[in-house]
Amino acid sequence: MAKKRKPPSIKGGLSDPYSEGKIYGDARTYDPDFKGPIAKRSCTDVLCCIVFILFIIGYIILGLLAWVNGDPRRVAYPTDSQGQFCGQKGTSNENKTILFYFNLLSCASPSVVVNLQCPTTQICVSKCPEKFLTYMEIQFTYRRDRNYWAYYSQFCKSAILKPAKTLTQVLLDNDCPTAIFPSRPFLQRCFPDFSTQNGTLTVGNKTVFEDGSGRTRNAVELRAAANGVNRVLDARAIGIKVFEDYATTWYWILIGLTIAMLLSWLFVILLRFTAGFLFWVFTLGVIGIIAYGIWHCYQEYSDLQGQPNAHLTLYNIGIQTDISMYFQLRQTWFAFMIILCILEVFVLLMLIFLRNRIRISIALLKEGSKAIGYIPTTLIYPVLTFIFLSICISYWAVIAIYLATSGVPIYKVITPEGQCKHENKTCDPKIFNTTEVAKACPGAQCNFAFYGGKSLYHQYITTFQIFNLFVFLWLINFVIALGQCALAGAFASYYWALKKPDDIPPYPLFNAFGRAIRYHTGSLAFGSLILATVQMFRLILEYLDKRLKQAQSNISKFLKCCLRCCFWCLEKAVRFLNRNAYVMIAIYGKNFCRSARDAFNLLMRNILKVAVMDRVTDFVLILGKILVAGCIGVLAFLLFTQRLPMIIEGPTSLNYYWVPLLTVIIGSYLIAHGFFSVYAMCIETIFICFCEDLERNDGSTEKPYFIAPTLHGILNKKQLVPQKQKE
């Protein structure tokens, strides 16, 4: 037999693990002295780093400009017809925090009511009216009791000494409302105080009232004019109940999330010693939890048999703000039961078809557990990532609000009937009554519409918002990339230590984080830029879909679906390639393009191992996340529904038990995801290092493998020569 030809050794340091130009078959020659992540490095992708820094500087400047020109109080407080928001300090409205509508009956259009911009005069008041009064009544009662006018005049535009004007003049000048009726403040706006007596809708205990213009109106008409507001009122009622539930259960939620954190930590520790056993705990636990959910949905479905309205469907009740109504339908519980059954079958099929590959995943989990055990600080890193992400999200939200509230008040022509040719044209409220528009459109008003301006800054507000969103996506992806690169560097230090843990360098995570920031900010920014660009195109596509939904043909809908699918696949592919490129950057310190190329070629040379490792390991980790969230969710469900009275007494006065329940479940899943994402990065790094190890070494005493013999035997069919441990 021909003697196997060994690649020549390359002398000279650690600056480049690859040889320059010599190729033997499909394998390149390597630096034989390579012992882990390269220590001697140089800055990579400097140009992209400079661009990234310039964008951050521009982002800071944009934040300062928005802070100078914007006023977030314009979002929090209502704005009157003159463009001043109620409660603004230093103005006449400082003590007037509630918005009052002169004629709420004119707000008949639901779209107008939702925007809270009715075609009627709006002023700021200190309190809402509490009684029925009309301007005509005031003129008769003023002479014998001036207190009536003192009460009524606070709902006029300005201080008027007496009701000397006729009703016609009042209507033309819009000085005072023609009538007031009992109202209550909601969202700092005065809305009718509706109530029901013996099944009859009333306003202030009255079913009919005078509208001040000689017509008699009833409460049903007023309710019809304000039905859009009533939907908001219902939402507010639910919001209050949800807030009450959170106020009652906040400490139970914190206890549940703390237990989820401890349970996740326990699983991570146990994975090191009993990965195989714990995998079946994950599996059987998930199967059991889903089975319990199926049984509970069936019980609810059976209990609703014969209940009134239980036979209705989701189509019958439509969109409701009261979500609890959906849980009173048999169809809802039947749908939940079908979904859980499908999920149960999916898990069982995955176990059946992947039973041989699961042992590979278990071996990788064991090796990953050892790495995390030797570098425990990696379990704390998700907290740092969470802090960075929170800062980015908060900064983006603040800038978006300040940009949206930048500018001066812009006024538009508004008419009750909406048939004026000058409708929506800009106007000046100070001279509006003397213009031709007021004469051509009787009843038209010049009311505040939004904040804007004609300066260069205001003309590019939309562009600034797009810039704000793009840099936000870039920063979010950069923070995630930084975490992946730092963790990969730490776990690579573990893998390439021949004698573990003695050869592991001190503070591996801290050193890897420092190398990523010092040398590879440009490379991380480059990869993040590519991903942010793809995400931006997806968002633009979704925006265009929403705006052009009514004008789409079948062909355009088909093309839209194809584009959405393509961009979704592209984003997933870029994420996968970036993650592996960051591992190569952490190990070898090369630029992004070369690292991505090397990672891609390495994975393609080991495509079968990738297909086995990637999906199966993700499946196992997802089972762990579901088990953590499911265990905490079941305990929270039994607690919040008073099914554990003999063991522990939970909250007894919840409006919607599912509010704290969903909070606990989602929070527990996110906590578990933070812990297990470290595992996923660890396993991926170990796998890439293993593929490199196979190409570098042959298992001989001169070139031993760095991987554990048991894991090597599972991942590779070659006979492993025992490692020669260093003394």
Side-chain angles (χ1 to χ4, degrees):
M1 295 179 64
K3 186 177 180 180
K4 183 178 178 182
R5 182 180 182 182
K6 291 186 179 181
S9 300
I10 304 296
K11 304 296 183 181
L14 304 176
S15 60
D16 189 357
Y18 297 122
S19 66
E20 297 296 335
K22 295 185 179 181
I23 298 177
Y24 290 83
D26 292 332
R28 290 163 296 177
T29 56
Y30 299 102
D31 181 356
D33 299 326
F34 179 77
K35 293 296 184 293
I38 304 300
K40 185 179 178 181
R41 300 176 180 235
S42 60
C43 295
T44 56
D45 295 305
V46 178
L47 180 60
C48 191
C49 180
I50 295 173
V51 173
F52 182 60
I53 294 174
L54 291 177
F55 266 76
I56 292 179
I57 294 174
Y59 202 30
I60 296 174
I61 294 174
L62 176 62
L64 295 175
L65 286 175
W67 181 75
V68 171
N69 293 276
D71 191 345
R73 293 176 298 176
R74 295 169 179 172
V75 176
Y77 297 100
T79 307
D80 63 11
S81 298
Q82 301 301 314
Q84 296 181 341
F85 58 87
C86 303
Q88 182 179 6
K89 293 184 179 180
T91 66
S92 58
N93 293 333
E94 183 173 358
N95 297 321
K96 300 176 180 180
T97 59
I98 307 172
L99 190 67
F100 172 74
Y101 298 90
F102 271 25
N103 182 16
L104 192 62
L105 288 165
S106 64
C107 307
S109 173
S111 61
V112 173
V113 178
V114 168
N115 294 323
L116 298 177
Q117 290 292 342
C118 299
T120 184
T121 302
Q122 305 162 31
I123 64 170
C124 299
V125 296
S126 57
K127 63 179 181 179
C128 295
E130 301 172 349
K131 61 181 71 174
F132 286 100
L133 281 175
T134 66
Y135 185 80
M136 298 279 292
E137 292 174 348
I138 291 298
Q139 288 185 313
F140 289 107
T141 58
Y142 170 73
R143 296 177 182 178
R144 67 172 184 269
D145 191 349
R146 298 190 177 185
N147 290 330
Y148 280 91
W149 174 248
Y151 179 81
Y152 194 92
S153 62
Q154 64 182 326
F155 303 106
C156 296
K157 274 186 178 180
S158 56
I160 302 175
L161 298 178
K162 58 182 180 179
K165 291 185 178 181
T166 63
L167 179 61
T168 304
Q169 290 176 317
V170 169
L171 290 173
L172 290 175
D173 297 338
N174 279 317
D175 288 332
C176 297
T178 58
I180 60 175
F181 42 81
S183 305
R184 58 178 176 175
F186 163 59
L187 293 177
Q188 295 181 289
R189 293 165 172 84
C190 291
F191 290 122
D193 187 10
F194 292 109
S195 61
T196 304
Q197 294 183 358
N198 298 325
T200 303
L201 184 68
T202 63
V203 177
N205 297 325
K206 286 187 177 183
T207 56
V208 294
F209 56 91
E210 297 288 334
D211 67 354
S213 59
R215 298 179 60 187
T216 301
R217 301 294 186 98
N218 57 47
V220 176
E221 291 181 83
L222 188 60
R223 181 63 179 264
N227 61 359
V229 179
N230 292 332
R231 285 194 287 271
V232 181
L233 286 171
D234 293 338
R236 177 194 181 246
I238 292 178
I240 293 175
K241 292 180 180 179
V242 169
F243 178 79
E244 291 174 351
D245 290 341
Y246 277 126
T248 304
T249 60
W250 65 270
Y251 53 92
W252 292 108
I253 294 174
L254 290 180
I255 292 174
L257 297 180
T258 303
I259 295 175
M261 182 184 68
L262 296 176
L263 189 61
S264 300
W265 214 317
L266 178 63
F267 282 164
V268 168
I269 295 173
L270 291 178
L271 276 172
R272 181 181 180 185
F273 305 102
T274 58
F277 171 76
L278 206 59
F279 165 76
W280 291 111
V281 171
F282 286 172
T283 304
L284 297 177
V286 170
I287 293 174
I289 289 173
I290 297 176
Y292 174 80
I294 295 172
W295 176 82
H296 177 72
C297 292
Y298 176 76
Q299 288 292 325
E300 293 289 343
Y301 177 80
S302 300
D303 293 342
L304 288 174
Q305 179 71 30
Q307 295 291 332
N309 299 327
H311 65 282
L312 297 176
T313 64
L314 298 175
Y315 177 80
N316 295 135
I317 66 173
I319 299 176
Q320 299 291 331
T321 54
D322 187 359
I323 302 178
S324 63
M325 293 183 62
Y326 295 110
F327 294 99
Q328 300 173 13
L329 304 178
R330 299 186 73 204
Q331 186 188 58
T332 302
W333 293 107
F334 183 76
F336 286 160
M337 184 172 62
I338 294 299
I339 293 173
L340 291 176
C341 287
I342 294 174
L343 184 60
E344 186 87 324
V345 172
F346 173 76
V347 173
L348 293 174
L349 290 177
M350 289 287 288
L351 291 174
I352 293 172
F353 289 104
L354 299 178
R355 60 187 182 277
N356 293 326
R357 298 180 179 181
I358 286 175
R359 59 190 293 266
I360 300 176
S361 179
I362 292 174
L364 285 170
L365 287 174
K366 289 180 179 179
E367 190 68 18
S369 299
K370 292 180 182 179
I372 294 175
Y374 290 136
I375 315 175
T377 52
T378 53
L379 292 176
I380 306 175
Y381 192 86
V383 178
L384 184 62
T385 300
F386 174 78
I387 294 173
F388 287 157
L389 292 178
S390 299
I391 294 173
C392 294
I393 293 172
S394 301
Y395 190 78
W396 165 77
V398 169
I399 289 183
I401 292 175
Y402 271 90
L403 286 174
T405 56
S406 297
V408 296
I410 301 297
Y411 303 90
K412 297 282 188 178
V413 177
I414 299 177
T415 56
E417 302 298 330
Q419 297 178 351
C420 176
K421 64 179 181 179
H422 301 287
E423 181 81 12
N424 289 327
K425 288 186 177 180
T426 57
C427 57
D428 186 350
K430 297 179 180 178
I431 61 172
F432 178 73
N433 291 333
T434 62
T435 61
E436 295 295 329
V437 178
K439 298 177 182 178
C441 304
Q445 298 180 23
C446 183
N447 284 355
F448 166 79
F450 55 87
Y451 290 96
K454 297 182 179 180
S455 66
L456 184 64
Y457 169 79
H458 295 107
Q459 291 177 2
Y460 287 94
I461 288 293
T462 303
T463 305
F464 291 151
Q465 288 283 22
I466 296 175
F467 178 80
N468 179 33
L469 178 60
F470 178 75
V471 180
F472 164 71
L473 294 175
W474 196 356
L475 286 174
I476 289 292
N477 289 299
F478 177 82
V479 169
I480 296 174
L482 178 61
Q484 292 174 343
C485 188
L487 290 173
F491 292 128
S493 299
Y494 159 82
Y495 183 92
W496 294 108
L498 187 60
K499 188 177 181 180
K500 303 175 178 63
D502 297 339
D503 291 346
I504 299 177
Y507 312 112
L509 180 60
F510 179 79
N511 292 332
F513 181 84
R515 288 195 300 267
I517 287 290
R518 181 178 178 182
Y519 298 109
H520 308 303
T521 298
S523 297
L524 300 180
F526 192 7
S528 305
L529 175 62
I530 298 173
L531 186 56
T533 303
V534 175
Q535 293 172 340
M536 195 68 185
F537 275 112
R538 286 191 65 189
L539 291 176
I540 293 174
L541 186 64
E542 293 293 336
Y543 174 77
L544 294 176
D545 178 44
K546 298 295 183 183
R547 293 298 299 268
L548 304 176
K549 200 167 188 178
Q550 301 298 329
Q552 290 181 358
S553 63
N554 292 331
I555 297 178
S556 62
K557 290 180 180 179
F558 174 75
L559 293 176
K560 176 202 67 177
C561 292
C562 292
L563 286 174
R564 292 172 67 177
C565 180
C566 291
F567 275 107
W568 181 85
C569 295
L570 179 61
E571 182 179 349
K572 293 296 181 182
V574 171
R575 282 184 184 276
F576 176 77
L577 186 61
N578 281 8
R579 188 167 62 249
N580 290 282
Y582 299 147
V583 176
M584 301 297 282
I585 290 172
I587 297 174
Y588 298 118
K590 298 303 176 183
N591 59 48
F592 176 81
C593 291
R594 181 170 178 179
S595 298
R597 183 199 65 186
D598 293 340
F600 179 79
N601 292 335
L602 180 65
L603 294 176
M604 288 299 102
R605 293 195 297 269
N606 299 271
I607 188 63
L608 295 179
K609 295 185 179 68
V610 173
V612 171
M613 183 278 301
D614 195 44
R615 296 299 96 193
V616 178
T617 306
D618 286 347
F619 173 69
V620 174
L621 294 179
I622 288 174
L623 288 180
K625 299 173 192 176
I626 294 176
L627 180 60
V628 172
C631 290
I632 303 300
V634 169
L635 292 176
F637 173 77
L638 297 175
L639 178 68
F640 294 142
T641 56
Q642 297 297 308
R643 304 194 183 195
L644 295 174
M646 302 300 295
I647 302 176
I648 185 172
E649 184 177 357
T652 57
S653 58
L654 293 180
N655 299 296
Y656 309 112
Y657 73 86
W658 49 266
V659 171
L661 176 62
L662 289 179
T663 304
V664 169
I665 292 175
I666 295 174
S668 300
Y669 184 85
L670 292 177
I671 289 174
H673 176 73
F675 280 93
F676 286 105
S677 63
V678 176
Y679 246 103
M681 199 65 207
C682 176
I683 291 173
E684 191 147 2
T685 303
I686 290 175
F687 178 76
I688 289 181
C689 291
F690 166 72
C691 295
E692 286 279 292
D693 195 8
L694 289 182
E695 295 188 358
R696 288 179 174 281
N697 306 302
D698 55 12
S700 63
T701 55
E702 293 80 14
K703 300 175 66 177
Y705 290 122
F706 286 79
I707 196 171
T710 54
L711 184 58
H712 178 276
I714 294 175
L715 292 178
N716 199 53
K717 294 182 179 180
K718 294 180 180 179
Q719 183 67 30
L720 177 63
V721 178
Q723 294 182 11
K724 178 182 178 181
Q725 302 289 344
K726 291 187 175 182
E727 299 296 334

